[in-house]
Structure formats: C-alpha cells, structure tokens
C-alpha cells in the first residue's frame, strides 16, 4: 500500500516536473529557440526567436540550420514564459519556397497599434540553401498574432537577420546583413524602403558580421552585432550619434561561446533594467545548429560603454521558493566535487541534475523568494546509489543550515521531505552542500 502511495506521489511530481514553468537559462524548455529578438509591448516582454528543428533526409539540409516556422512567447516577469504557438510558417507565405526550411532570425516592432514581424528566407524563385535570402513582413493587430504575411518580400533587400528600429522622430530603419551590415530608411508603411541602401562602415574589416540590433540610450545609437574576430562569433558594438552612423567600434558585449559557432542577440530595457537576450546550444552540446535562448542582465559604465556580459546558467529573475529550484542552473559552484549533468542524454529536454561527490562540495542558487509566511518543509528529488547527506544553507555554503536531507540508498529518483529550521523569509541565496563523500544527484528542491 505504502509503495502504491509512493508511486502515485512520484507520478504526480514527475508530471509537474515536465509541465512546470520555465525559468533560468535556457528560458524555453520544450523546444529549440535561437536568435532571440525580444521586445517590450504593453508592459510585457515578447520573444520572437528562430525555431531550430533537426533536419532529416527530405526535410531541410541535414547537418545545417533547419527552421520551418516561428513561435512567439511572452512573459511579464522574465521567468514564466507563455508559448503563443506558431505565428508564421513557410508553407503559408505566398512568396516563400515551401521547402525552404530557412526561416532564420526574425524581429518584430510595433507602429501605431500594428505589429510588424520581419523574417528572412528563400523565395520561390531561388535555389534553396544558396545565397538568395530575401526579407518579408507579416502584420498583426496583437503581438501574439495572428500575423498576415505580405504577398512579396521587401523590394531592394537581399540578406538575412532583419532588425527594425524606430527613432524618436518617428523615422523607421531596417538593418540586415549579408557578411556586412546594411541599413536603409523604411517608409511609414513599414513595408518598403525609403532610401538607398547604406553599408555600415568603420566596423572591423575582416570576419563575418551579421545579426545587427540597433538601440538608443541617452542620445547614443548602439549598433550591436555578432562578429567572427577569431574563430566563432562574439557580440560586439559600435556607437554613433545617428541611426545610420558613422559608427565607432567600441567593444565586446559577450565573448565567444565555447561549442556554439553562432551567437545572436537583442537588447531591451524592462522595468528600468537592461537585458541581453542571446543564444547557446544548451540542449544540443554536440550540434550547434540547435540552439536555445538565454537572458542575462546588461549594465553600462558611467560613460555609456557596455560592461561585458558573462553568460550565466542562473539567468535573471526571482524564483519562488514554492517552485522547483534547479540548482543545476547555478549562480556559483565549488571548484571540485560538484558538477552538472543531463538527466537523460537521449532526451536533453528533461533538463539537468546537480551532482555532489565530496564532503564540502557545493552549488549555489541565488535570488529565491520565500515570501512573508513561514515555510515549513522542503521536498527534494534526489538519487544516490550509496545514500548520502546534503544540507541546504542560506547566504552561502558556510551560511546557516536551514535543512538536512538524508538521502536513502536507491538507484531510482526519490522525493524526500525534510523540516525547515529557522525563519526563512523574503529573498535568499541558497547553497546545497555535501556533508560526506558519497555521490548524491539532485534534480530539484522545492519548499512548502
Ligand atoms: O539562425 C540562423 C542564423 O544563425 C542567423 O540568421 C544568424 O544570425 C545566426 O545566428
């Protein structure tokens, strides 16, 4: 009987684990989500990524980027994301090759209550996977769609990675790339160019540059872009006092990401904080054309220069203590005896686990909100063939112990419950610490 209860409990908790809301990096947990273009509309953040899928014979080019549609996501706290589903798909756009599988990096912008979604791909009259990318627009009344695609791509534009910027005077600009970065003014209808095409100069001469993203802050125009300075892409920026430049190369926003050749980003300010959206290949460590969107905070120096962003797994936002806290998306980790591994290497969307294997090894997860009411217990999903003991401490690995978790020897995942000691309230940083040298794996920790 007891076994049956345990099984039911495990089933319910497993359902919650796989259908729970996402937080931390990567932010989208059930599909690939590359080239994240984020926008703030109506006090919410909307995310317009490319949707990487894996090509198979007859469906895309095997071993290359493969995308057939776009989803849009939204969040009002940068932690919990809603997927609004497919907004544009290759076989429903009149001018697109229905077998293009090349719906690359998009962008979206609002003008006078309409939402303009820009996307590059191969038109019907081009060779798939050649150099003939065009850029189209689809228009909606709401950020989450439905979007109605125009019947033809934007005339005069050849390339990828559209980005749209509307200046304070109402003038809109389209930026895109094709090894270099180009820009042109857009007409008010947001569907036609209104100037010649400018090649943006004074950026590093050699090495691929793509994925432009323009924003303005305190009268300074930031042209940000991925560039291959060494081996793979890093994020750089140049500044100017005009949306069309001239720009002056100013620095690196994010260094190369080991194991992922591309990076692609956007920058937004949301409730007074600036954020960098970018991607890495978290769910596909061996194939870097299946990528996932991430978010980290971005800060400026006094003189307007951007501080380099160091990518984190913890990401941004507060985690509610009653949600599943994934220590494997850590803020910091001990130099030895602690690691992060995939729960199932055959299904990486199952996420990760923290593994502690020596006395004193620790993993820290910051900014957990315990609220104002005293929580009494902690549930933890753990596995240890030998059994072992973990502690949860607040502040750091040497801070006060708030729970001791005695993990039974088992080859299966089990959920154990332990009492919480002391008054833990408001926002806390937590550390999970090994009390002995036995190996203990932790999937999540949740307070109630
Ligand atoms: O997602 C396909 C391409 O990879 C994008 O268009 C580039 O910016 C790079 O991220």
């Amino acid at each position: 009987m007891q076994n049956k209860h345990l099984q039911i409990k495990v089933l319910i908790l497993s359902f919650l684990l796989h259908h729970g809301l996402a937080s931390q990096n990567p932010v989208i947990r059930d599909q690939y989500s590359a080239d994240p273009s984020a926008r703030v509309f109506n006090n919410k953040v909307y995310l317009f990524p490319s949707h990487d899928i894996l090509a198979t014979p007859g469906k895309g080019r095997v071993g290359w980027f493969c995308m057939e549609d776009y989803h849009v996501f939204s969040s009002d706290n940068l932690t919990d994301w809603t997927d609004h589903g497919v907004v544009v798909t290759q076989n429903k756009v009149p001018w697109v090759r229905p077998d293009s599988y090349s719906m690359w990096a998009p962008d979206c912008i609002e003008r006078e209550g309409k939402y303009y979604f820009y996307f590059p791909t191969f038109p019907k009259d081009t060779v798939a996977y050649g150099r003939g990318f065009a850029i189209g627009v689809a228009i909606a009344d709401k950020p989450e769609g439905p979007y109605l695609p125009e019947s033809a791509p934007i005339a005069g534009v050849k390339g990828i990675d559209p980005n749209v910027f509307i200046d304070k005077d109402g003038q809109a600009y389209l930026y895109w790339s094709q090894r270099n970065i180009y820009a042109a003014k857009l007409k008010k209808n947001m569907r036609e160019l209104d100037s010649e095409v400018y090649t943006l100069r004074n950026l590093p001469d050699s090495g691929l540059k793509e994925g432009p993203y323009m924003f303005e802050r305190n009268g300074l125009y930031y042209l940000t872009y991925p560039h291959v300075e060494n081996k793979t892409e890093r994020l750089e920026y140049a500044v100017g006092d005009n949306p069309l430049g001239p720009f002056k190369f100013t620095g690196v926003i994010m260094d190369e990401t080991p194991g992922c050749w591309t990076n692609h980003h956007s920058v937004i300010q949301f409730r007074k904080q600036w954020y960098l959206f970018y991607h890495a290949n978290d769910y596909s460590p061996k194939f870097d054309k299946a990528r996932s969107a991430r978010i980290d905070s971005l800060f400026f120096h006094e003189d307007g220069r951007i501080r380099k962003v160091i990518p984190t797994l913890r990401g941004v936002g507060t985690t509610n203590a009653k949600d599943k806290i994934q220590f494997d998306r850590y803020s910091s980790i001990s130099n030895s005896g602690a690691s992060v591994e995939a729960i199932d290497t055959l299904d990486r969307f199952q996420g990760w686990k923290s593994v502690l294997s020596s006395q004193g090894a620790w993993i820290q997860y910051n900014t957990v909100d315990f609220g104002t009411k005293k929580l009494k217990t902690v549930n933890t999903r753990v596995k240890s063939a030998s059994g072992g003991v973990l502690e949860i401490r607040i502040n750091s690995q040497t801070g006060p112990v708030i729970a001791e978790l005695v993990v039974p020897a088992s080859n299966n995942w089990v959920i154990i419950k332990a009492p919480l000691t002391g008054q833990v309230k408001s926002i806390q940083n937590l550390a999970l610490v090994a009390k002995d040298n036995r190996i203990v794996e932790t999937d999540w920790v949740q307070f109630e």
Side-chain angles (χ1 to χ4, degrees):
M1 187 63 176
Q2 239 182 357
N3 254 352
K4 202 163 179 195
H5 274 144
L6 186 71
Q7 272 170 4
I8 292 170
K9 209 166 161 184
V10 167
L11 274 177
I12 293 171
L13 285 159
S14 145
F15 175 85
L16 289 173
L17 168 69
H18 296 298
H19 296 80
L21 292 166
S23 57
Q24 312 104 30
N25 283 330
V27 291
I28 306 301
R29 298 288 183 94
D30 62 352
Q31 60 194 280
Y32 300 118
S33 54
D35 307 323
S37 185
R39 294 287 176 191
V40 180
F41 297 138
N42 314 321
N43 202 27
K44 262 185 166 185
V45 177
Y46 283 84
L47 183 59
F48 300 88
S50 307
H51 181 196
D52 288 344
I53 54 174
L54 300 178
T56 48
K59 186 176 172 183
R61 176 174 153 194
V62 175
W64 189 238
F65 299 108
C66 183
M67 302 91 136
E68 63 183 324
D69 57 27
Y70 299 99
H71 285 229
V72 57
F73 303 84
S74 71
S75 173
D76 55 14
N77 59 9
L78 292 175
T79 298
D80 305 323
W81 290 90
T82 302
D83 181 355
H84 299 284
V86 172
V87 287
V88 172
T89 186
Q90 62 183 8
N91 53 22
K92 294 212 174 112
V93 183
W95 59 270
V96 170
R97 278 186 72 114
D99 61 348
S100 84
Y101 291 101
S102 299
M103 310 290 275
W104 285 17
D107 193 14
C108 187
I109 202 147
E110 184 268 341
R111 179 170 205 133
E112 292 167 3
K114 294 262 182 229
Y115 296 83
Y116 296 85
F117 179 81
Y118 296 81
F119 58 97
T121 193
F122 295 118
K124 279 185 173 145
D125 58 357
T126 55
V127 180
Y129 318 117
R131 287 192 163 265
F133 272 95
I135 290 174
V137 197
I139 304 168
D141 292 326
K142 290 186 292 174
E144 52 268 44
Y147 283 86
L148 190 64
E150 290 291 288
S151 56
I154 302 176
V157 179
K158 288 267 164 266
I160 58 169
D161 296 350
N163 163 243
V164 181
F165 170 73
I166 303 179
D167 203 2
K168 285 174 288 196
D169 62 3
Q171 177 63 57
Y173 297 83
L174 177 68
Y175 300 82
W176 69 96
S177 59
Q178 181 94 290
R179 288 207 77 79
N180 281 311
I181 296 176
Y182 303 92
K185 290 184 179 178
L186 274 176
K187 288 190 179 165
K188 279 207 166 127
N189 67 18
M190 303 298 277
R191 289 170 282 184
E192 289 172 279
L193 298 192
D194 199 18
S195 74
E196 62 181 286
V197 172
Y198 301 93
T199 305
L200 301 184
R201 306 271 175 213
N202 299 338
L203 306 176
D205 282 338
S206 62
L208 176 80
K209 292 175 283 293
E210 55 180 3
Y213 187 89
M214 165 63 64
F215 68 93
E216 182 268 342
R217 179 179 178 268
N218 298 338
L220 214 52
Y221 294 83
Y222 291 76
L223 175 67
T224 63
Y225 54 90
H227 170 229
V228 184
E229 169 68 18
N230 300 306
K231 289 189 173 150
T232 67
E233 290 184 341
R234 66 182 193 184
L235 302 178
E236 298 178 356
Y237 72 108
V239 298
D241 55 15
N242 180 306
L244 293 174
F247 295 101
K248 183 173 179 297
F249 172 79
T250 309
V252 175
I253 305 173
M254 179 174 277
D255 286 327
E256 293 180 10
T257 308
C260 190
W261 200 94
T262 62
N263 200 347
H264 187 116
H265 68 299
S266 56
V267 176
I268 58 163
Q269 189 182 26
F270 180 57
R271 300 188 185 140
K272 300 204 175 136
Q273 173 63 51
W274 289 84
Y275 296 98
L276 177 73
F277 286 66
Y278 61 101
H279 72 218
N281 51 335
D282 299 82
Y283 287 123
S284 175
K286 293 194 180 135
F287 179 60
D288 67 356
K289 312 271 176 305
R291 301 151 298 172
S292 295
R294 292 170 160 217
I295 317 173
D296 274 301
S297 299
L298 179 139
F299 299 93
F300 292 86
H301 291 283
E302 287 273 301
D303 61 4
R305 281 176 303 124
I306 297 175
R307 287 177 195 238
K308 202 185 263 187
V309 178
I310 309 295
T312 73
L313 296 176
R314 173 63 186 85
V316 298
T318 303
T319 302
N320 192 313
K322 293 178 183 170
D323 286 342
K324 297 198 169 63
I325 301 163
Q326 312 282 345
F327 272 85
D328 49 77
R329 306 296 86 196
Y330 58 81
S331 306
S332 51
I333 190 165
S334 59
N335 287 333
S336 62
S339 61
V340 165
E341 292 171 17
I343 287 184
D344 180 353
T345 50
L346 299 177
D347 176 13
R348 289 189 179 268
F349 287 108
Q350 284 199 33
W352 297 268
K353 58 190 176 187
S354 335
V355 185
L356 297 180
S357 58
S358 63
Q359 188 180 20
W362 55 271
I363 192 157
Q364 179 160 335
Y365 186 100
N366 290 348
T367 332
V368 177
D369 189 359
F370 282 79
T372 50
K373 285 198 187 129
K374 186 176 178 325
L375 300 179
K376 292 190 181 132
T377 46
V378 55
N379 291 314
T380 318
R381 187 171 191 253
V382 278
K383 186 158 85 167
S384 172
S386 56
V389 183
L390 302 177
E391 289 170 337
I392 301 177
R393 294 174 177 255
I394 49 170
N395 304 337
S396 75
Q397 75 277 12
T398 54
V401 176
I402 58 164
E404 185 173 89
L405 312 166
V406 180
V407 180
S410 168
N411 287 321
N412 298 314
W413 287 102
V414 291
I415 289 158
I416 57 165
K417 215 183 217 342
L420 208 54
T421 53
Q423 290 271 342
V424 191
K425 289 188 181 165
S426 68
I427 308 268
Q428 303 289 345
N429 297 339
L430 299 179
L432 193 63
V433 185
K435 243 189 133 178
D436 57 36
N437 287 326
R438 290 176 290 173
I439 302 172
V440 180
E441 302 176 353
T442 305
D443 185 3
W444 48 258
V445 169
Q446 183 180 37
F447 297 88
E448 61 180 18

